[in-house]
Amino acid sequence: MFLGRVRRTAADPVEVVAWRPGGELLPLTGLEGGDDPVAMLGHYGLERLTEEADRRWAAAGELLLEAEVLFEPPVANCTKVCCLALNYVAHAEESGLEVPPDPVLFFKPPSALTGHRRPVIAPARTRHLEHEVELAVVIGSVTRDLPEERWREAVAGYTVLNDMTARDLQLTNIARNQPWDQSKGFDTFAPAGPYLATVDEVPDPHDVELTLEVDGEVRQRANTKQMVFGVPRLIADLSDGMTLLPGDLIATGTIAGIAPLKHGDVMRATVAGVGTLVNEVVFRSA
């Protein structure tokens, strides 16, 4: 099941929709959870919610076209975007860094989130913006101190996240031995979506292909089986003493192929079986 959050116009409220690959969008209005797919899943459970969506599809009610709506991030309430650095060997090597012995965490603020087909806007202080396609885990329940073998209890589904980075600012901070959260945390620097793919759509998050194209040129391509630390380890490590809340995201790290972007570039970040996230790059100083 694929669940999204859309507006019909900029002035309209957000509504949850269900999507079928290659098809239209089905509004799930009137259900508990309001504009929050994670809350909706938590209230009904995947089986009951799927049954309700199937009933509505069969009734041939109102449908929306993707091209006619404005996409919001697929999570309504996100307290933190937990990001993993250097979780693929090839990316660590291209960055000239060693693979860490344990997961390395940094955060993006929820204000960095933006949706499918929304622009990524680079602030005037940077001239070097880079893309990083990632599989993101969507947390579905209050989670703390969860052992690895129970990791599935925490997961509502998955989405695509593009970990945008002002690389010039990041490298300057690293050279000065300073935190580099700002280079990752600007507004629009965490585009996510288009949809939340529920767990039945992704039986094994450790065997899906990641691809990122810029204006048709493939720049990044690899498989999540190449992750250094898998989803069970990440959830167990992050929830060790820190509470993960419904709607929080875990961005599991990017693959090799990061490269600079220019004004007007269109990025297509794809996680097979999850979706394709499209965003245009805008430099304020262009």
Side-chain angles (χ1 to χ4, degrees):
M1 189 176 199
F2 296 87
L3 299 170
R5 299 176 64 247
V6 303
R7 298 179 190 267
R8 303 189 190 206
T9 72
D12 289 328
V14 177
E15 55 189 314
V16 175
V17 294
W19 174 75
R20 287 176 172 173
E24 296 161 309
L25 304 176
L26 172 74
L28 295 178
T29 54
L31 296 182
E32 293 292 333
D35 70 344
D36 187 346
V38 176
M40 203 172 279
L41 281 166
H43 180 83
Y44 292 99
L46 178 56
E47 184 175 351
R48 283 182 61 201
L49 189 58
T50 301
E51 290 174 353
E52 174 61 20
D54 287 343
R55 185 188 67 77
R56 295 190 181 202
W57 284 111
E62 180 186 23
L63 297 176
L64 304 174
L65 298 176
E66 287 185 309
E68 296 177 345
V69 300
L70 302 172
F71 280 85
E72 297 291 337
V75 291
N77 296 293
C78 176
T79 68
K80 49 192 171 292
V81 182
C82 308
C83 302
L84 277 300
L86 307 175
N87 201 25
Y88 288 82
V89 173
H91 173 56
E93 290 176 344
E94 73 175 350
S95 303
L97 299 169
E98 295 183 0
V99 175
D102 296 294
V104 173
L105 171 69
F106 64 92
F107 293 98
K108 286 178 180 269
S111 55
L113 288 168
T114 192
H116 174 57
R117 296 208 312 258
R118 298 295 184 93
V120 168
I121 302 173
R125 68 178 66 193
T126 180
R127 296 303 304 162
H128 187 162
L129 189 64
E130 293 191 353
H131 52 75
E132 298 187 12
V133 60
E134 307 194 13
L135 170 70
V137 179
V138 181
I139 297 300
S141 60
V142 177
T143 301
R144 179 170 172 173
D145 300 327
L146 191 70
E148 288 190 40
E149 62 271 16
R150 293 172 51 197
W151 68 275
R152 293 185 185 275
E153 297 176 20
V155 180
Y158 304 89
T159 193
V160 186
L161 189 137
N162 193 346
D163 175 15
M164 302 303 302
T165 306
R167 195 70 70 194
D168 48 355
L169 304 184
Q170 183 193 38
L171 292 176
T172 296
N173 289 146
I174 291 173
R176 294 173 178 172
N177 200 28
Q178 298 172 338
W180 37 268
D181 302 74
Q182 186 181 49
S183 66
K184 296 275 195 175
F186 294 112
D187 289 354
T188 75
F189 269 37
Y195 303 104
L196 183 163
T198 52
V199 292
D200 57 317
E201 300 289 349
V202 188
D204 183 5
H206 306 100
D207 189 12
V208 294
E209 187 167 282
L210 308 176
T211 308
L212 187 133
E213 301 177 13
V214 176
D215 293 335
E217 173 195 357
V218 177
R219 291 192 176 182
Q220 292 183 280
R221 176 171 287 161
N223 193 289
T224 55
K225 66 177 63 175
Q226 297 166 304
M227 282 193 288
V228 177
F229 305 107
V231 175
R233 172 67 187 278
L234 296 179
I235 291 175
D237 188 83
L238 294 177
S239 71
D240 181 6
M242 181 175 72
T243 302
L244 303 175
L245 297 174
D248 286 352
L249 299 177
I250 300 175
T252 58
T254 198
I255 57 180
I258 56 173
L261 295 155
K262 65 181 185 300
H263 181 78
D265 279 347
V266 176
M267 304 172 290
R268 294 178 59 87
T270 300
V271 178
V274 176
T276 296
L277 172 68
V278 180
N279 301 95
E280 183 177 355
V281 176
V282 174
F283 278 91
R284 287 185 185 270
S285 55

